């Protein structure tokens, strides 16, 4: 094929590292290698979010896109997005003994944001 370099087959050479391992040792090595790959991704997911991710979470919680937008904007304005907007709505619902949807709708109307700030200690994250 024009423009492509042929990759030399080095399978036999690379296989030498694991050739003597038992099935159990191979399985343990596989899961260890997977953890090395996935752990940084999980750390990123825990510490980074975006408005689109937060809107997506709210959609899965039963809010419409028109309802999710002001909830996300309200959380951004108050420095709460790092806690997860769905989590903020959940905590307000639990604190006020409301169902999730009702809590979110009341937050869209401007209610409960001070309580959310107290719960999360004003917390930029």
């Amino acid at each position: 094929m024009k423009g492509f370099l042929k990759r030399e087959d080095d399978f036999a050479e690379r296989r030498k590292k694991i050739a003597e391992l038992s099935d159990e040792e191979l399985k343990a090595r596989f899961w260890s290698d997977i953890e090395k790959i996935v752990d940084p991704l999980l750390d990123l997911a825990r510490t980074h979010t975006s408005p689109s991710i937060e809107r997506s979470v709210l959609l899965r919680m039963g809010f419409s896109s028109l309802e999710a937008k002001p909830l996300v904007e309200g959380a951004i304005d108050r420095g709460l997005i790092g806690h997860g907007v769905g989590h903020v709505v959940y905590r307000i619902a639990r604190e006020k003994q409301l169902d999730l949807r009702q809590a979110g709708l009341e937050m869209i109307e401007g209610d409960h944001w001070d309580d959310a700030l107290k719960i999360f200690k004003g917390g930029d994250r």
Side-chain angles (χ1 to χ4, degrees):
M1 292 183 165
K2 190 174 184 178
F4 290 97
L5 297 175
K6 183 176 180 182
R7 180 172 178 251
E8 293 299 319
D9 184 8
D10 62 349
F11 174 76
E13 189 64 35
R14 289 183 296 122
R15 185 179 182 281
K16 288 178 185 177
K17 297 178 194 174
I18 60 171
E20 300 299 319
L21 298 179
S22 70
D23 283 348
E24 285 303 312
E25 291 169 326
L26 281 171
K27 185 186 274 187
R29 170 132 181 205
F30 170 81
W31 287 113
S32 173
D33 289 349
I34 291 296
E35 285 177 9
K36 289 176 190 172
I37 294 167
V38 173
D39 283 348
L41 298 174
L42 292 175
D43 289 339
L44 269 175
R46 282 188 199 103
T47 59
H48 293 76
T49 190
S50 70
S52 63
I53 290 169
E54 296 304 318
R55 284 190 302 271
S56 178
V57 170
L58 291 167
L59 290 173
R60 281 147 188 79
M61 291 173 68
F63 294 98
S64 72
S65 59
L66 295 174
E67 294 163 339
K69 186 175 188 262
L71 286 168
V72 171
E73 288 171 350
I76 291 170
D77 292 345
R78 293 165 179 87
L80 294 171
I81 192 169
H83 295 282
V85 183
H87 184 212
V88 173
V89 172
Y90 167 76
R91 290 288 304 271
I92 290 297
R94 190 174 77 184
E95 186 84 15
K96 301 292 179 181
Q97 297 180 344
L98 301 168
D99 66 43
L100 287 171
R101 183 156 175 73
Q102 185 62 37
L105 293 175
E106 289 180 12
M107 292 175 79
I108 291 168
E109 296 300 317
D111 297 336
H112 310 305
W113 287 107
D114 290 338
D115 296 318
L117 287 169
K118 287 177 191 165
I119 290 169
F120 292 100
K121 297 178 178 63
D124 285 330
R125 192 170 183 199

